[in-house]
Amino acid sequence: MASVPVIPDSHNHVLAELECLDPLLSALRLDSSRLKCTCIDVSKRWLALGSSGGGLNLIQKDGWKQRLFLTHKEGAISRVACCLHDEDYVAVATSQGLVVVWELNQERRGKPERIYVSSEHKGRKVTALCWDTAALRVFVGDHVGKVSAIKINTSKQGKAAATFVMFPVQIITTVDSRVVQLDYLDGRLLISSLTRTYLCDTEREKFWKIGNKERDGEFGACFFPVGKNSGNQQPLIYCARPGSRMWEVNFDGEVQSTHQFKQLLSSPPLPVVTVRQDPHYTGSSCSPQSLSFPKLLYLTEHCVVTWTERGIYIFLPQSVQVLLWSEVKDIQDIAVHKSELFCLHTNGKVVHLSLLLVDRCIERLMRRGFWALAARVSCLFQNSIVSCRARKNLPLDKLEHLKSQLDASTQQDLTVQLEELISKLEPLDSACSSRRSSISSHESFSVLDSGIYRVISRRGSQSDEDSCSLHSQTFSEDERLKEFPVHHEDEQLELENVSHASVVVDADRNETFLPFSIPLSFRSPSPLVSLQAVKERSEHQNCQLPEEDRLKDLKAATAETIARLQDPLVLLEPQCMRRVLQEWLVYLEEKFSKEHSALSVKKSKTVCAEEQRAILEENLQVAPADTDPVDEEQNGILEDCIEKENPDETCASKTMCENGSDVTGPLGCGFQVSPPCAIEADVLKDLVELSTLCFELRVFSSGSGEAEESSDTSLPPAASGTLACRFMRSFFFLLDLTRVKQCIITTCATSPHIWETYIAGLKELTCHSPVALAMENEKDMLKILKLLHDLGPWDGSPLLLAHAQRLYDKFGETALRPLIKFHPSILPSDIKQLCRNDPAHFLAYLDSLVKSKPEDKRPFLLRSLLQPESVRLDWLCLAVSHDAPQRTNTVDEEGNPRPRSHLFTWGYSQLILLLIKLPADFVMKEKMADICKSHGFWPGYLFLCLELDRRMEAFTNIVHLDDLSLLNGEDGSIPETIEEWKFVLHLAQNHSTAFHHHSPQNGNAVSNGGPSCPDCITVENVALLLAKAIGPNHALPLLQECGLTLELSERFTGVCEILRIAEKRQRALIQSMLERCDRFLWSQQA
């Protein structure tokens, strides 16, 4: 049998035609050569089909039964649009250019009626119709580029209003070419023409052109709404571009990026699942497709659909991926609703397609009885079916049922392929089912190097025919006793460290296997059964006390501690609080600490070992000579284990007598992430409060059974951090993880291992989550992020940090930017901890987070993130020291600014300016000014000098920067008093002298302060600025007083003359206007 190409597992969606609409078109008589379907639209309730005869058919999608037929004498129907937010309205455009709006009156069970007829586009071809998403308003576009809006007045508002109030048609705009597509969302109208795309704010009547490059041809554009869990994120816009490209545009009309799909479209097309023909997949790649997308339509979440004359294409534009493309020829138009596509072909035929997951598609095919087609789809998409995600909806028993429905004689090849698929699958609960069926199934086993038996269950083995015999009964007993779980990691342990797994056997299991419950006196019970009985007896002794009695002392101590902490004398004194918590922590350690549990186990270990040895010796003495080999192996294991059992060894047996505590290993190897016993909700709440308070006040156990205060004065930081880590591991289930995280960030910045321990605990708490499991196998970061997003909302849960850490560890810096979507569940302080070894990654995240908000909201966002206020200095130091020019290029040897060094590009200049312009106290501004000066960020330093009223210092640095544009009135840097003007003039004189003295060293940099440069700081340029500010008549005496008139050229004299003339004429004009006003007022009084 020839091998059939299999579709890769990256494709898990398919287009399926689950129902044929040909009988519907035939019933509507739209399948003839004289009458055919010309346009299509769809809503939640209706499928609207316009015909060449001027009729509009509205068919109810639920059962395709109810039908409305609306006639038009104005010509064939060219466009139709259903109102999505009120399905009682539909708009129709005819071939004569008239637009008719119908009210269907379905709620009142009345007849449909025309409520508006617009002739604004009469004689033109209407090319696009679009409804407002909130109001009753229709937007219309035609082939000459005219766009209008029709506001509807409905009879629901009153009969009189509907009769006498008719709103005029509003002309929105006229674009340069034919309107290709219209779309509307949240007050914005999107117009796509043959040359470019326009964005219109219909409320404020503002218009923007999207992008600078024009195009030539039919290219669509659509809005891309954000999901429900995206917070305040604004919608996006996608505009088609030549060469299989799309622009990604924000809601303000700014192009963010260009997505290229040309190379991605070289993959082979996926088949459309339809009963008309069997699906086929070639598997051979095609050449890259350079296409023009005539329309873009938003489809469900994250998808955009378009089409060409060759096929249908569905994209995931945010992740720049092709979800699928399928060959469907001769498509004229497509209407979409959620995941449904209704395709109108050029011959008038209508096809109903659904975008489905492969497993959902197969399930629906089986439900409809299309067994052969379901089997073929299963074989084509077997890579997707094998995945765990598909097996939840398509388990093994369904595939077995599907195989049973095939005809083995006529569909032999298909049956064989399906059997191969089934053979690749194992039941999801195979591990459990093998144990339940161990009596009736054959099992094989292998012996590890350590001597432990590994039981291997074989699915589908036949039951033992003579299982009712006495021999088979007793043998089944031993077979079941062999069946103890062994972990893979045990294979790599040394022989002396091997610990036997628990054997789950009932106390009287050896008798229940015998017929009529007759005990056999000649056969001793198995050693493992006796050992199990010892274990159960020991556990029974340790568990005799109920949970209430076990926690009685702890409950009393907790209640007393909470009462003492409510005393103001204790509450307001940290040392007193620590002493109270130290006394309470002793009780907590006694009940839940792993060290205390380990000591208890160690005391009872010797007694248990002696009991085990005695029972084993007794069984070995009475065992017959012809003992089964299996029993001999078991005896050997037990002897070897007990010989190596020693109270001084660190590895305790898992079959030891336990006292109810979880002894998983040495301290520091694991976390107590769940309560070891049942705790009442009220008690647990108080325990969490006190345990978290212990962590915040640094009250930890020293490991000797007594609680100690761990403060900065009593213990060195390393020892304090070790105790904090020990405390978290022991009582992780009793900690408020949000408060602990905040405490670590604010008080434990110098102890990174505390944060690492905290993250390790979160990882252990989430190790079985779907995201953690997907992280191990999935290489596509976007799929993991989507899964993480779908599991939300997280609402600030610290568990999200564990997944963020895994993403960062696996994908590096590229994983940080998508985490912006999870703000504020993940804060910048968390990201700084995640990438503390590479601050540049944190800066990139912070900058992206700030820029993700509109410009007017960025200061408010940044202000909310600066908690505590001291982090502003840390972030500022990072921003001015990364992606910044060299300090030698901005600061000279004397610490002054180099000329024009303020024009250097700083990678995070916007972030720096936002940080320094936020409100702050005097001390904070001084510190920020020192940071900006030391790194040479002169725009920020000048701003802070003016804020601190250090104007002379600001003028000094402006003169060193040699840029006259800095002396302007926009930011208050222009001199305001005569003393300031004199100071700047003397600085300019000294600067010019120093420049001429050092000019040979500057080489070609003559423009940096040369007298011929109009924007350099020279005496003449400053003098001209002075003349413009206070007038030439006041400026000359001041210059003479400073002795600077000799440095002025004829240019200065000419400019001053022009200023005098302009000032004189301005005074004359003002005087003339005042006289005229005066005469006018007197004439009015007369």
Side-chain angles (χ1 to χ4, degrees):
M1 181 184 65
S3 60
V4 179
V6 178
I7 297 175
D9 58 355
S10 58
H11 296 287
N12 52 11
H13 287 77
V14 69
L15 287 175
E17 182 185 12
L18 299 177
E19 53 186 351
C20 180
L21 297 184
D22 290 349
L24 177 64
L25 296 179
S26 179
L28 299 176
R29 299 181 180 178
L30 292 178
D31 57 348
S32 63
S33 57
R34 184 181 63 86
L35 195 65
K36 69 174 186 177
C37 186
T38 55
C39 57
I40 189 171
D41 196 27
V42 66
S43 65
K44 180 179 179 180
R45 181 179 182 183
W46 300 107
L47 172 63
L49 302 175
S51 69
S52 56
L56 177 66
N57 292 276
L58 290 170
I59 305 99
Q60 198 168 25
K61 290 165 56 180
D62 186 11
W64 309 108
K65 294 180 180 180
Q66 184 178 355
R67 179 175 76 97
L68 295 177
F69 184 71
L70 310 178
T71 59
H72 303 80
K73 298 180 181 179
E74 297 84 1
I77 308 299
S78 60
R79 291 285 166 186
V80 59
C82 299
C83 182
L84 297 181
H85 63 88
D86 191 341
E87 295 189 289
D88 212 27
Y89 298 90
V90 61
V92 172
T94 68
S95 58
Q96 297 179 9
L98 298 179
V99 178
V100 182
V101 181
W102 289 83
E103 184 176 2
L104 303 181
N105 294 322
Q106 289 296 294
E107 297 179 0
R108 294 176 294 178
R109 298 187 178 181
K111 291 184 179 181
E113 56 181 334
R114 297 187 180 198
I115 58 175
Y116 205 105
V117 179
S118 170
S119 58
E120 185 65 36
H121 301 267
K122 187 174 182 180
R124 300 173 181 175
K125 181 181 180 181
V126 175
T127 55
L129 285 179
C130 174
W131 279 90
D132 192 316
T133 55
L136 289 176
R137 183 169 54 168
V138 185
F139 299 97
V140 186
D142 60 26
H143 76 285
V144 298
K146 188 176 184 179
V147 180
S148 66
I150 304 172
K151 189 174 182 181
I152 309 301
N153 192 18
T154 170
S155 61
K156 296 178 181 179
Q157 300 172 351
K159 195 68 177 178
T163 305
F164 297 105
V165 180
M166 295 291 289
F167 295 104
V169 175
Q170 178 188 3
I171 305 302
I172 300 295
T173 186
T174 300
V175 296
D176 53 1
S177 58
R178 176 163 65 93
V179 176
V180 176
Q181 186 177 359
L182 296 175
D183 199 6
Y184 185 88
L185 182 67
D186 294 345
R188 303 286 174 94
L189 177 65
L190 193 63
I191 306 171
S192 182
S193 69
L194 294 175
T195 57
R196 62 171 66 247
T197 304
Y198 303 85
L199 183 62
C200 309
D201 189 331
T202 58
E203 297 175 358
R204 295 184 292 177
E205 297 184 355
K206 291 187 177 181
F207 302 88
W208 300 272
K209 292 180 180 179
I210 296 180
N212 298 320
K213 297 182 180 179
E214 293 189 353
R215 62 201 184 190
D216 185 16
E218 291 192 1
F219 296 91
C222 71
F223 287 106
F224 193 88
V226 295
K228 298 179 180 179
N229 299 325
S230 299
N232 296 325
Q233 184 180 352
Q234 289 185 318
L236 297 174
I237 301 170
Y238 287 99
C239 305
R241 297 292 300 167
S244 300
R245 291 178 298 157
M246 286 187 199
W247 273 345
E248 182 176 301
V249 186
N250 64 17
F251 207 52
D252 296 324
E254 300 171 350
V255 178
Q256 302 295 307
S257 58
T258 302
H259 299 328
Q260 175 63 264
F261 295 98
K262 181 178 178 180
Q263 297 296 330
L264 297 176
L265 291 174
S266 61
S267 60
L270 295 185
V272 176
V273 177
T274 173
V275 294
R276 304 173 190 268
Q277 59 183 7
D278 292 338
H280 294 285
Y281 178 74
T282 59
S284 58
S285 300
C286 56
S287 58
Q289 302 182 57
S290 181
L291 306 173
S292 301
F293 304 136
K295 281 188 181 181
L296 297 180
L297 302 175
Y298 176 72
L299 180 68
T300 67
E301 274 195 57
H302 312 300
C303 296
V304 168
V305 63
T306 185
W307 69 91
T308 65
E309 67 279 355
R310 184 178 179 184
I312 299 175
Y313 305 84
I314 301 179
F315 300 104
L316 298 172
Q318 286 184 300
S319 57
V320 196
Q321 290 181 327
V322 178
L323 183 67
L324 64 85
W325 80 274
S326 300
E327 286 187 338
V328 183
K329 304 289 186 180
D330 303 325
I331 295 179
Q332 176 181 328
D333 198 5
I334 290 181
V336 300
H337 180 261
K338 293 187 177 180
S339 61
E340 293 181 306
L341 292 80
F342 290 86
C343 307
L344 174 62
H345 291 259
T346 54
N347 60 0
K349 180 182 176 183
V350 179
V351 176
H352 178 202
L353 301 178
S354 299
L355 178 64
L356 299 171
L357 287 167
V358 173
D359 51 341
R360 297 290 188 188
C361 176
I362 297 171
E363 190 177 13
R364 293 192 184 184
L365 290 173
M366 294 171 61
R367 203 179 302 161
R368 286 170 168 80
F370 301 136
W371 305 108
L373 182 58
R376 287 190 173 88
V377 175
S378 301
C379 295
L380 280 177
F381 289 90
Q382 57 182 269
N383 289 329
S384 298
I385 295 175
V386 171
S387 67
C388 294
R389 165 72 175 80
R391 289 175 59 192
K392 292 181 180 178
N393 298 320
L394 204 64
L396 190 62
D397 55 349
K398 284 191 177 181
L399 292 177
E400 295 279 6
H401 178 66
L402 175 60
K403 187 187 74 171
S404 66
Q405 298 296 324
L406 300 179
D407 190 344
S409 59
T410 59
Q411 298 170 331
Q412 183 177 2
D413 292 344
L414 191 58
T415 305
V416 172
Q417 295 176 26
L418 195 59
E419 287 178 348
E420 293 178 356
L421 170 60
I422 294 174
S423 66
K424 298 178 182 179
L425 301 177
E426 287 291 338
L428 291 177
D429 57 347
S430 59
C432 299
S433 62
S434 65
R435 277 154 178 73
R436 288 193 299 266
S437 60
S438 59
I439 299 177
S440 59
S441 63
H442 289 297
E443 296 170 343
S444 61
F445 58 89
S446 59
V447 183
L448 304 179
D449 295 336
S450 59
I452 297 178
Y453 282 79
R454 170 184 288 171
V455 180
I456 304 173
S457 178
R458 296 175 179 172
R459 182 179 57 86
S461 60
Q462 301 297 323
S463 59
D464 196 351
E465 295 178 355
D466 55 348
S467 59
C468 295
S469 64
L470 183 61
H471 177 269
S472 63
Q473 294 272 354
T474 55
F475 185 77
S476 298
E477 172 193 353
D478 292 335
E479 285 294 315
R480 289 199 54 155
L481 291 174
K482 282 195 306 179
E483 193 178 326
F484 53 89
V486 180
H487 300 289
H488 293 289
E489 57 266 26
D490 291 340
E491 298 177 15
Q492 301 173 3
L493 296 176
E494 295 182 2
L495 183 59
E496 59 270 20
N497 291 330
V498 174
S499 60
H500 297 285
S502 303
V503 185
V504 183
V505 185
D506 293 338
D508 55 348
R509 178 69 57 86
N510 60 318
E511 295 187 2
T512 57
F513 285 159
L514 302 181
F516 312 110
S517 299
I518 302 176
L520 294 179
S521 57
F522 57 86
R523 181 171 177 85
S524 65
S526 172
L528 283 177
V529 176
S530 302
L531 183 59
Q532 180 65 21
V534 174
K535 174 187 173 184
E536 290 176 353
R537 186 166 63 253
S538 175
E539 288 180 346
H540 178 70
Q541 293 172 356
N542 289 330
C543 299
Q544 283 180 348
L545 294 177
E547 296 294 337
E548 290 78 5
D549 294 336
R550 291 183 58 200
L551 301 179
K552 182 178 179 180
D553 296 341
L554 180 59
K555 287 181 182 180
T558 302
E560 181 183 357
T561 302
I562 291 178
R564 293 174 64 184
L565 290 176
Q566 293 175 353
D567 185 354
L569 297 178
V570 177
L571 188 62
L572 300 177
E573 182 59 45
Q575 295 298 332
C576 294
M577 291 182 65
R578 288 191 176 98
R579 284 195 295 270
V580 172
L581 290 173
Q582 288 170 13
E583 296 173 5
W584 172 81
L585 188 56
V586 174
Y587 291 92
L588 186 69
E589 290 277 347
E590 181 181 351
K591 297 301 178 184
F592 294 136
S593 175
K594 292 183 178 180
E595 290 110 331
H596 187 273
S597 301
L599 291 173
S600 300
V601 171
K602 195 171 183 180
K603 291 177 182 179
S604 59
K605 190 175 179 183
T606 307
V607 178
C608 292
E610 291 177 356
E611 280 194 67
Q612 293 168 7
R613 183 184 299 276
I615 293 175
L616 180 64
E617 291 176 353
E618 179 182 352
N619 285 311
L620 290 176
Q621 290 175 2
V622 299
D626 55 346
T627 308
D628 286 347
V630 176
D631 290 342
E632 293 177 356
E633 290 289 339
Q634 292 174 350
N635 297 337
I637 294 171
L638 291 174
E639 288 178 343
D640 185 73
C641 177
I642 296 178
E643 286 174 1
K644 297 180 182 297
E645 196 73 54
N646 195 318
D648 297 330
E649 291 180 38
T650 59
C651 184
S653 172
K654 290 185 180 179
T655 55
M656 283 291 168
C657 303
E658 300 175 281
N659 62 347
S661 299
D662 182 18
V663 185
T664 59
L667 186 64
C669 295
F671 287 82
Q672 187 74 36
V673 296
S674 59
C677 61
I679 306 176
E680 298 175 4
D682 295 339
V683 178
L684 182 61
K685 180 181 178 181
D686 294 338
L687 293 177
V688 169
E689 178 65 29
L690 294 180
S691 300
T692 306
L693 199 57
C694 284
F695 187 89
E696 292 171 338
L697 295 178
R698 320 287 288 172
V699 178
F700 303 131
S701 170
S702 62
S704 60
E706 297 181 358
E708 291 185 359
E709 175 188 344
S710 172
S711 61
D712 295 337
T713 58
S714 61
L715 286 176
S720 176
T722 302
L723 293 179
C725 295
R726 185 195 303 268
F727 186 86
M728 277 195 291
R729 291 180 182 275
S730 299
F731 307 111
F732 201 77
F733 68 101
L734 291 178
L735 294 176
D736 185 331
L737 299 178
T738 302
R739 285 170 54 186
V740 168
K741 181 194 75 172
Q742 192 62 32
C743 177
I744 295 174
I745 292 176
T746 54
T747 63
C748 305
T750 58
S751 303
H753 59 287
I754 298 181
W755 175 265
E756 293 172 357
T757 304
Y758 175 74
I759 291 294
L762 293 178
K763 285 184 176 180
E764 186 164 337
L765 197 60
T766 59
C767 62
H768 298 295
S769 69
V771 178
L773 298 177
M775 201 89 66
E776 298 177 358
N777 305 318
E778 185 61 59
K779 296 182 180 180
D780 189 349
M781 182 182 69
L782 295 174
K783 292 183 179 179
I784 299 173
L785 287 168
K786 183 180 183 301
L787 177 60
L788 193 61
H789 184 271
D790 294 341
L791 291 176
W794 291 93
D795 297 330
S797 172
L799 300 181
L800 186 59
L801 282 179
H803 303 309
Q805 182 71 61
R806 291 188 179 99
L807 281 168
Y808 180 69
D809 293 341
K810 187 169 185 177
F811 299 103
E813 183 184 3
T814 56
L816 294 182
R817 184 179 177 184
L819 294 179
I820 294 171
K821 297 181 179 180
F822 296 98
H823 178 268
S825 295
I826 293 183
L827 296 172
S829 55
D830 304 329
I831 298 297
K832 188 177 180 183
Q833 290 289 335
L834 295 184
C835 50
R836 60 186 176 277
N837 296 328
D838 200 336
H841 294 176
F842 164 72
L843 270 179
Y845 166 83
L846 181 62
D847 191 55
S848 300
L849 176 63
V850 173
K851 290 180 179 178
S852 66
K853 302 297 180 183
E855 194 167 351
D856 57 335
K857 296 182 180 179
R858 291 174 185 175
F860 301 101
L861 170 67
L862 198 57
R863 180 80 173 174
S864 66
L865 300 178
L866 295 176
Q867 300 295 335
E869 185 70 18
S870 58
V871 302
R872 182 192 297 204
L873 297 178
D874 300 336
W875 293 2
L876 183 61
C877 290
L878 288 176
V880 297
S881 58
H882 287 81
D883 199 5
Q886 295 291 330
R887 189 177 185 276
T888 55
N889 295 331
T890 58
V891 183
D892 61 14
E893 294 80 3
E894 299 176 358
N896 297 318
R898 291 190 181 275
R900 304 302 176 97
S901 59
H902 65 291
L903 301 178
F904 278 111
T905 300
W906 295 68
Y908 299 104
S909 59
Q910 295 185 24
L911 179 62
I912 298 172
L913 291 174
L914 281 174
L915 286 170
I916 64 178
K917 289 183 179 180
L918 288 176
D921 56 23
F922 186 83
V923 177
M924 178 65 71
K925 289 181 180 179
E926 282 191 328
K927 292 180 179 179
M928 292 192 295
D930 294 340
I931 293 173
C932 291
K933 183 178 181 179
S934 63
H935 289 83
F937 186 72
W938 303 117
Y941 180 66
L942 294 177
F943 173 83
L944 290 169
C945 284
L946 295 174
E947 288 281 308
L948 296 169
D949 202 22
R950 289 152 49 173
R951 298 180 61 83
M952 298 305 179
E953 188 175 348
F955 293 142
T956 303
N957 285 276
I958 288 175
V959 173
H960 281 291
L961 290 171
D962 199 21
D963 190 351
L964 192 66
S965 63
L966 295 175
L967 288 173
N968 56 64
E970 295 180 1
D971 52 6
S973 57
I974 191 168
E976 296 176 349
T977 63
I978 298 299
E979 287 74 16
E980 289 183 355
W981 279 111
K982 289 181 180 180
F983 182 74
V984 174
L985 285 169
H986 285 298
L987 286 175
Q989 184 182 21
N990 297 334
H991 174 71
S992 300
T993 304
F995 170 78
H996 288 299
H997 178 71
H998 295 289
S999 59
Q1001 301 177 6
N1002 291 337
N1004 296 328
V1006 180
S1007 61
N1008 272 350
S1012 60
C1013 183
D1015 60 346
C1016 295
I1017 302 276
T1018 62
V1019 174
E1020 183 171 313
N1021 288 340
V1022 176
L1024 287 173
L1025 194 63
L1026 172 65
K1028 293 177 183 178
I1030 66 176
N1033 294 330
H1034 296 87
L1036 281 174
L1038 181 61
L1039 293 172
Q1040 292 174 357
E1041 182 183 345
C1042 296
L1044 299 175
T1045 55
L1046 297 177
E1047 299 187 19
L1048 303 178
S1049 64
E1050 295 180 357
R1051 172 173 169 266
F1052 175 79
T1053 306
V1055 172
C1056 285
E1057 289 297 326
I1058 294 173
L1059 289 175
R1060 287 192 186 96
I1061 296 172
E1063 186 178 352
K1064 185 177 180 180
R1065 290 187 176 181
Q1066 188 175 13
R1067 285 199 301 266
L1069 179 62
I1070 293 173
Q1071 181 67 27
S1072 175
M1073 293 178 63
L1074 289 174
E1075 290 176 356
R1076 291 182 180 181
C1077 290
D1078 186 62
R1079 286 195 298 268
F1080 173 76
L1081 293 174
W1082 280 111
S1083 65
Q1084 292 295 318
Q1085 288 183 0

